[in-house]
Coordinates of all heavy atoms in Angstrom, one line a residue:
N1122 N 0.8 -1.2 -0.1 CA 0.1 0.0 0.0 C 0.8 1.2 0.0 O 2.1 1.1 0.0 CB -1.0 -0.1 1.2 CG -0.2 0.2 2.5 OD1 0.9 0.5 2.5 ND2 -0.9 -0.3 3.6
M1123 N 0.2 2.4 0.1 CA 1.0 3.6 -0.2 C 1.9 3.9 1.0 O 3.0 4.5 0.8 CB 0.1 4.9 -0.5 CG 0.7 6.1 -0.9 SD 1.9 5.8 -2.3 CE 0.8 5.2 -3.5
L1124 N 1.5 3.5 2.2 CA 2.4 3.7 3.4 C 3.7 3.1 3.2 O 4.7 3.6 3.4 CB 1.7 3.3 4.7 CG 2.5 3.7 6.0 CD1 2.6 5.1 6.0 CD2 1.7 3.2 7.1
D1125 N 3.6 1.8 2.6 CA 4.8 1.1 2.3 C 5.8 1.9 1.4 O 7.0 1.9 1.5 CB 4.6 -0.2 1.8 CG 3.9 -1.2 2.8 OD1 4.1 -1.0 3.9 OD2 3.1 -2.0 2.4
V1126 N 5.1 2.5 0.3 CA 5.9 3.3 -0.6 C 6.6 4.4 0.1 O 7.7 4.7 -0.2 CB 5.0 3.8 -1.7 CG1 5.8 4.8 -2.7 CG2 4.3 2.7 -2.6
V1127 N 5.8 5.1 0.9 CA 6.4 6.1 1.7 C 7.6 5.7 2.5 O 8.7 6.3 2.5 CB 5.3 6.8 2.6 CG1 6.1 7.9 3.4 CG2 4.3 7.3 1.8
L1128 N 7.4 4.6 3.2 CA 8.6 4.1 4.0 C 9.7 3.7 3.2 O 10.9 3.9 3.5 CB 8.1 3.0 5.0 CG 7.0 3.5 6.0 CD1 6.5 2.3 6.8 CD2 7.6 4.5 6.8
D1129 N 9.4 3.0 2.1 CA 10.5 2.6 1.2 C 11.3 3.7 0.7 O 12.5 3.6 0.4 CB 10.0 1.8 0.1 CG 9.3 0.3 0.4 OD1 9.5 -0.1 1.5 OD2 8.7 -0.2 -0.5
N1130 N 10.7 4.8 0.5 CA 11.5 6.0 0.0 C 12.0 6.8 1.0 O 12.6 7.8 0.7 CB 10.4 6.7 -0.9 CG 10.2 6.1 -2.3 OD1 11.2 6.1 -3.1 ND2 9.0 5.7 -2.6
K1131 N 11.8 6.4 2.3 CA 12.3 7.1 3.3 C 12.2 8.5 3.5 O 13.0 9.3 3.6 CB 13.9 6.7 3.4 CG 14.3 5.3 3.6 CD 15.8 5.2 3.8 CE 16.2 3.7 4.1 NZ 15.5 2.7 3.2
L1132 N 10.8 8.9 3.0 CA 10.5 10.2 3.1 C 10.2 10.8 4.4 O 9.8 9.9 5.3 CB 9.3 10.4 2.2 CG 9.4 10.1 0.7 CD1 8.1 10.4 0.0 CD2 10.5 10.8 0.1
D1133 N 10.4 12.1 4.7 CA 10.0 12.7 5.9 C 8.5 12.9 5.7 O 8.0 13.5 5.0 CB 10.8 14.0 6.0 CG 10.2 14.7 7.2 OD1 9.5 14.2 8.1 OD2 10.9 15.9 7.4
I1134 N 7.8 12.1 6.7 CA 6.3 12.2 6.5 C 5.7 13.2 7.6 O 4.5 13.2 7.8 CB 5.7 10.7 6.6 CG1 6.0 10.2 8.0 CG2 6.1 9.8 5.5 CD1 5.2 8.8 8.3
D1135 N 6.4 14.0 8.1 CA 6.0 15.0 9.0 C 5.0 15.9 8.1 O 5.4 16.4 7.1 CB 7.1 16.0 9.6 CG 7.6 15.4 10.8 OD1 7.1 14.3 11.3 OD2 8.4 16.1 11.4
G1136 N 3.7 16.0 8.6 CA 2.9 16.9 7.7 C 2.4 16.3 6.6 O 1.7 16.9 5.8
F1137 N 2.6 14.9 6.4 CA 2.1 14.3 5.2 C 0.6 14.3 5.1 O -0.2 14.0 6.1 CB 2.5 12.8 5.4 CG 2.3 12.0 4.2 CD1 3.2 11.8 3.2 CD2 1.1 11.3 4.0 CE1 2.9 11.1 2.0 CE2 0.7 10.4 2.9 CZ 1.7 10.4 1.9
G1138 N 0.2 14.8 3.9 CA -1.3 14.9 3.7 C -1.9 16.0 4.4 O -3.1 15.9 4.8
A1139 N -1.2 17.1 4.5 CA -1.8 18.3 5.1 C -3.2 18.7 4.6 O -3.9 19.3 5.4 CB -0.7 19.4 5.1
C1140 N -3.4 18.7 3.5 CA -4.5 19.2 2.9 C -5.7 18.1 2.8 O -6.7 18.4 2.2 CB -4.5 19.9 1.5 SG -4.3 18.7 0.2
E1141 N -5.5 17.0 3.2 CA -6.4 15.8 3.3 C -7.0 15.5 1.9 O -8.1 15.3 1.7 CB -7.6 16.1 4.2 CG -7.0 16.4 5.7 CD -8.2 16.5 6.8 OE1 -9.1 17.2 6.3 OE2 -7.9 16.3 7.9
G1142 N -6.0 15.6 1.0 CA -6.4 14.9 -0.4 C -7.1 15.9 -1.3 O -7.7 15.5 -2.2
T1143 N -7.1 17.2 -1.0 CA -7.9 18.2 -1.8 C -6.8 18.9 -2.8 O -7.3 19.9 -3.5 CB -8.4 19.3 -1.0 OG1 -7.6 19.9 -0.2 CG2 -9.5 18.5 0.0
L1144 N -5.8 18.4 -3.0 CA -4.7 18.9 -4.0 C -4.5 20.3 -3.7 O -4.3 21.2 -4.6 CB -5.4 18.7 -5.5 CG -5.2 17.4 -6.1 CD1 -5.8 17.3 -7.4 CD2 -3.7 17.1 -6.1
A1145 N -4.3 20.6 -2.5 CA -3.9 22.1 -2.1 C -2.6 22.1 -1.4 O -2.2 23.1 -0.7 CB -5.0 22.6 -1.1
C1146 N -1.9 21.1 -1.4 CA -0.5 21.0 -0.7 C 0.4 20.0 -1.6 O -0.1 19.4 -2.5 CB -0.6 20.6 0.7 SG -0.9 18.9 0.9
S1147 N 1.5 19.9 -1.3 CA 2.4 18.8 -1.9 C 3.1 18.0 -0.8 O 4.0 17.4 -1.1 CB 3.5 19.4 -2.9 OG 4.2 20.4 -2.3
T1148 N 2.5 17.9 0.4 CA 3.1 17.1 1.4 C 3.0 15.7 1.3 O 3.7 14.9 1.9 CB 2.5 17.5 2.8 OG1 1.2 17.1 2.9 CG2 2.7 19.0 3.2
C1149 N 2.2 15.4 0.4 CA 1.9 13.8 0.2 C 2.7 13.4 -1.1 O 2.5 12.3 -1.6 CB 0.5 13.4 -0.1 SG -0.3 14.2 -1.5
H1150 N 3.7 14.2 -1.6 CA 4.5 13.8 -2.6 C 5.2 12.6 -2.4 O 5.8 12.4 -1.3 CB 5.6 15.0 -2.9 CG 6.6 14.7 -3.9 ND1 7.9 15.1 -3.7 CD2 6.5 14.0 -5.0 CE1 8.6 14.7 -4.8 NE2 7.8 14.1 -5.6
V1151 N 5.2 11.5 -3.4 CA 6.0 10.3 -3.3 C 6.6 10.2 -4.5 O 6.2 10.5 -5.6 CB 5.0 9.2 -2.9 CG1 4.6 9.2 -1.4 CG2 3.9 9.0 -3.8
I1152 N 7.8 9.5 -4.5 CA 8.6 9.0 -5.6 C 8.4 7.5 -5.8 O 8.7 6.8 -5.0 CB 10.0 9.4 -5.5 CG1 10.1 11.0 -5.2 CG2 10.8 8.8 -6.7 CD1 11.4 11.4 -4.8
L1153 N 7.8 7.2 -7.0 CA 7.4 5.8 -7.3 C 8.5 5.2 -8.1 O 9.3 5.8 -8.7 CB 6.0 5.7 -7.9 CG 4.9 6.3 -7.3 CD1 3.7 6.3 -8.2 CD2 4.6 5.6 -5.9
D1154 N 8.8 3.8 -8.1 CA 9.6 3.2 -8.9 C 8.7 3.2 -10.5 O 7.6 3.3 -10.5 CB 10.1 1.8 -8.5 CG 9.0 0.8 -8.4 OD1 8.1 0.7 -9.2 OD2 8.9 0.2 -7.3
S1155 N 9.4 3.0 -11.4 CA 8.8 3.1 -12.6 C 7.8 2.1 -13.0 O 6.8 2.4 -13.7 CB 9.8 3.3 -13.8 OG 10.7 2.1 -13.7
E1156 N 8.0 1.0 -12.4 CA 7.0 -0.1 -12.6 C 5.6 0.3 -12.0 O 4.5 0.1 -12.6 CB 7.4 -1.4 -11.9 CG 8.6 -2.1 -12.5 CD 8.1 -2.4 -14.1 OE1 7.2 -3.1 -14.3 OE2 9.0 -2.1 -15.0
N1157 N 5.7 0.9 -10.7 CA 4.4 1.3 -10.1 C 3.8 2.4 -10.8 O 2.7 2.6 -11.0 CB 4.7 1.6 -8.6 CG 4.9 0.3 -7.7 OD1 4.1 -0.6 -8.0 ND2 5.7 0.4 -6.9
Y1158 N 4.7 3.3 -11.2 CA 4.2 4.6 -11.9 C 3.5 4.2 -13.1 O 2.4 4.9 -13.4 CB 5.5 5.4 -12.2 CG 5.1 6.9 -12.8 CD1 4.8 7.8 -11.9 CD2 5.1 7.0 -14.2 CE1 4.5 9.1 -12.3 CE2 4.6 8.3 -14.6 CZ 4.4 9.4 -13.6 OH 4.2 10.7 -14.1
K1159 N 4.0 3.4 -13.9 CA 3.3 2.9 -15.1 C 1.9 2.4 -15.0 O 1.2 2.4 -15.9 CB 4.2 2.0 -15.9 CG 5.3 2.6 -16.8 CD 6.0 1.5 -17.6 CE 6.9 0.6 -16.7 NZ 7.9 -0.2 -17.5
T1160 N 1.6 1.8 -13.9 CA 0.4 1.1 -13.7 C -0.7 2.2 -13.2 O -1.9 1.8 -13.2 CB 0.4 0.2 -12.5 OG1 0.6 0.9 -11.3 CG2 1.4 -0.9 -12.7
L1161 N -0.4 3.5 -13.1 CA -1.4 4.5 -12.6 C -1.9 5.3 -13.8 O -1.2 5.4 -14.7 CB -0.6 5.4 -11.7 CG 0.0 4.7 -10.4 CD1 0.7 5.9 -9.6 CD2 -1.3 4.3 -9.6
P1162 N -3.2 5.7 -13.6 CA -3.6 6.6 -14.5 C -2.8 7.9 -14.5 O -2.2 8.3 -13.6 CB -5.0 7.0 -14.1 CG -5.4 6.2 -12.9 CD -4.1 5.4 -12.6
E1163 N -2.9 8.7 -15.7 CA -2.2 10.0 -15.7 C -2.7 10.9 -14.6 O -3.9 11.0 -14.2 CB -2.6 10.7 -17.1 CG -1.9 10.0 -18.3 CD -0.5 10.2 -18.4 OE1 -0.2 11.4 -18.5 OE2 0.3 9.3 -18.6
P1164 N -1.7 11.7 -14.0 CA -2.3 12.8 -13.1 C -3.2 13.7 -13.9 O -2.8 14.0 -15.0 CB -1.0 13.4 -12.5 CG 0.2 12.9 -13.5 CD -0.3 11.7 -14.3
V1165 N -4.0 14.3 -13.1 CA -5.0 15.4 -13.7 C -4.1 16.7 -13.6 O -3.1 16.8 -12.9 CB -6.3 15.6 -12.9 CG1 -7.2 14.3 -13.1 CG2 -6.0 15.9 -11.4
E1166 N -4.6 17.6 -14.2 CA -3.9 19.0 -14.3 C -3.5 19.6 -12.9 O -2.5 20.1 -12.6 CB -4.6 20.0 -15.1 CG -3.9 21.2 -15.6 CD -4.7 22.0 -16.5 OE1 -5.8 21.7 -17.2 OE2 -4.4 23.4 -16.4
E1167 N -4.6 19.5 -12.0 CA -4.3 20.1 -10.7 C -3.3 19.4 -10.0 O -2.5 19.9 -9.2 CB -5.7 20.0 -9.9 CG -6.8 20.8 -10.3 CD -7.6 20.4 -11.6 OE1 -7.3 19.3 -12.1 OE2 -8.3 21.1 -12.0
E1168 N -3.1 18.0 -10.1 CA -2.1 17.2 -9.6 C -0.8 17.7 -10.0 O 0.2 17.9 -9.2 CB -2.3 15.8 -9.7 CG -1.1 15.0 -9.0 CD -1.2 13.5 -9.0 OE1 -2.3 13.0 -9.5 OE2 -0.3 12.9 -8.7
N1169 N -0.7 17.9 -11.3 CA 0.6 18.4 -12.0 C 0.9 19.7 -11.5 O 2.1 20.0 -11.2 CB 0.4 18.4 -13.5 CG 0.7 16.9 -14.1 OD1 1.5 16.2 -13.6 ND2 -0.1 16.6 -15.1
D1170 N 0.0 20.6 -11.4 CA 0.3 22.0 -10.8 C 1.0 21.8 -9.5 O 1.8 22.5 -9.0 CB -1.0 22.8 -10.8 CG -1.4 23.1 -12.2 OD1 -0.6 23.0 -13.1 OD2 -2.6 23.6 -12.2
M1171 N 0.4 21.0 -8.6 CA 0.9 20.9 -7.2 C 2.2 20.2 -7.3 O 3.2 20.6 -6.4 CB -0.1 20.1 -6.2 CG -1.3 20.9 -5.9 SD -1.1 22.6 -5.4 CE 0.1 22.4 -4.1
L1172 N 2.5 19.2 -8.2 CA 3.6 18.5 -8.2 C 4.8 19.4 -8.6 O 6.0 19.4 -8.1 CB 3.7 17.3 -9.2 CG 3.0 16.1 -8.7 CD1 2.8 15.2 -10.0 CD2 4.0 15.4 -7.7
D1173 N 4.5 20.5 -9.5 CA 5.5 21.6 -9.9 C 6.1 22.2 -8.7 O 7.2 22.7 -8.6 CB 4.9 22.5 -10.7 CG 4.7 22.0 -12.2 OD1 5.3 20.9 -12.5 OD2 3.9 22.5 -12.9
L1174 N 5.4 22.1 -7.5 CA 5.9 22.8 -6.3 C 6.4 22.0 -5.3 O 6.9 22.4 -4.3 CB 4.5 23.5 -5.6 CG 3.7 24.5 -6.5 CD1 2.5 25.0 -5.6 CD2 4.6 25.7 -6.9
A1175 N 6.4 20.7 -5.7 CA 6.8 19.7 -4.6 C 8.4 19.7 -4.7 O 9.1 19.9 -5.7 CB 6.4 18.3 -5.1
Y1176 N 9.0 19.6 -3.4 CA 10.4 19.5 -3.3 C 11.0 18.2 -3.9 O 10.4 17.2 -3.6 CB 10.8 19.6 -1.8 CG 12.2 19.4 -1.6 CD1 13.1 20.5 -1.8 CD2 12.8 18.2 -1.1 CE1 14.5 20.4 -1.4 CE2 14.1 18.1 -0.8 CZ 14.9 19.2 -1.0 OH 16.3 19.2 -0.9
G1177 N 12.0 18.2 -4.6 CA 12.6 17.0 -5.2 C 11.8 16.4 -6.3 O 11.9 15.2 -6.4
L1178 N 11.1 17.2 -7.1 CA 10.3 16.4 -8.1 C 11.1 15.6 -9.0 O 12.2 16.0 -9.5 CB 9.6 17.6 -9.0 CG 8.7 17.2 -10.1 CD1 7.4 16.5 -9.4 CD2 8.2 18.4 -10.8
T1179 N 10.5 14.5 -9.3 CA 11.2 13.5 -10.3 C 10.2 13.1 -11.3 O 9.1 13.3 -11.1 CB 11.5 12.3 -9.6 OG1 10.5 11.3 -9.4 CG2 12.3 12.5 -8.2
P1180 N 10.6 12.4 -12.4 CA 9.7 11.9 -13.5 C 8.7 10.9 -13.0 O 7.6 10.8 -13.7 CB 10.8 11.3 -14.5 CG 12.0 12.0 -14.2 CD 12.1 12.3 -12.7
T1181 N 9.0 10.3 -11.9 CA 8.0 9.4 -11.4 C 7.3 9.8 -10.1 O 6.8 9.0 -9.3 CB 8.6 8.0 -11.2 OG1 9.6 8.0 -10.3 CG2 9.1 7.4 -12.5
S1182 N 7.3 11.1 -9.9 CA 6.6 11.6 -8.8 C 5.1 11.6 -8.8 O 4.6 11.9 -10.0 CB 7.1 13.1 -8.4 OG 8.4 13.2 -8.0
R1183 N 4.4 11.3 -7.8 CA 3.0 11.6 -7.8 C 2.5 12.3 -6.4 O 3.4 12.0 -5.5 CB 2.3 10.2 -8.0 CG 2.4 9.6 -9.2 CD 1.8 10.5 -10.4 NE 0.4 10.7 -10.3 CZ -0.6 10.0 -10.9 NH1 -0.3 9.0 -11.6 NH2 -1.7 10.4 -10.6
L1184 N 1.3 12.6 -6.3 CA 0.9 13.0 -5.0 C 0.1 11.8 -4.5 O -1.0 11.3 -5.2 CB -0.1 14.2 -5.2 CG 0.7 15.5 -5.4 CD1 -0.3 16.6 -5.6 CD2 1.9 15.8 -4.5
A1185 N 0.5 11.3 -3.4 CA -0.1 10.0 -2.8 C -1.6 10.0 -2.7 O -2.4 9.0 -2.8 CB 0.6 9.5 -1.6
C1186 N -2.1 11.1 -2.2 CA -3.6 11.3 -1.9 C -4.4 11.0 -3.2 O -5.6 10.7 -3.2 CB -3.9 12.6 -1.2 SG -3.7 14.0 -2.4
Q1187 N -3.7 11.2 -4.4 CA -4.5 10.9 -5.7 C -4.5 9.6 -6.1 O -5.0 9.2 -7.1 CB -4.0 12.0 -6.6 CG -4.1 13.4 -6.3 CD -5.5 13.8 -5.8 OE1 -6.4 13.5 -6.7 NE2 -5.7 14.2 -4.6
I1188 N -3.5 8.7 -5.5 CA -3.4 7.4 -6.1 C -3.7 6.3 -5.2 O -3.6 5.1 -5.4 CB -1.9 7.3 -6.7 CG1 -0.9 7.5 -5.6 CG2 -1.8 8.3 -7.8 CD1 0.5 7.3 -6.1
I1189 N -4.1 6.7 -3.9 CA -4.3 5.6 -2.9 C -5.7 5.0 -3.3 O -6.7 5.7 -3.4 CB -4.4 6.1 -1.5 CG1 -3.0 6.6 -1.2 CG2 -4.9 5.1 -0.4 CD1 -3.0 7.2 0.2
Ligands
FES55 FE1 -2.5 17.7 -0.1 FE2 -2.3 15.3 -1.4 S1 -2.6 15.8 0.8 S2 -2.2 17.4 -2.3

């Protein structure tokens, strides 16, 4: 599940999910491996907008609240 992904990536989860999934923060930023990334639907425009603000954005970054 997504918590495992968070732990696997050793992210700092302080404040994780601050906006409770309303795409108003980027605290739920996670970096997926490419296998997992490929299985997901494309992010919507609002998610991409928030991802642009996420610290350490990567090509396989997503906002976890949108993919759980
Ligand atoms: Fe804020 Fe995901 S919890 S965008």
Side-chain angles (χ1 to χ4, degrees):
N1122 67 21
M1123 191 49 59
L1124 186 58
D1125 293 331
V1126 175
V1127 174
L1128 296 176
D1129 285 350
N1130 283 290
K1131 298 183 175 52
L1132 296 183
D1133 179 358
I1134 59 170
D1135 272 5
F1137 185 90
C1140 78
E1141 300 181 334
T1143 59
L1144 279 174
C1146 72
S1147 56
T1148 62
C1149 64
H1150 176 212
V1151 290
I1152 299 167
L1153 304 175
D1154 64 47
S1155 52
E1156 289 304 307
N1157 283 321
Y1158 189 83
K1159 275 186 287 190
T1160 67
L1161 298 172
E1163 294 280 308
V1165 297
E1166 191 177 339
E1167 288 79 4
E1168 183 181 346
N1169 278 325
D1170 287 347
M1171 289 314 303
L1172 277 170
D1173 284 342
L1174 305 176
Y1176 177 77
L1178 182 66
T1179 78
T1181 60
S1182 290
R1183 293 297 302 262
L1184 292 178
C1186 67
Q1187 301 306 299
I1188 59 179
I1189 293 174

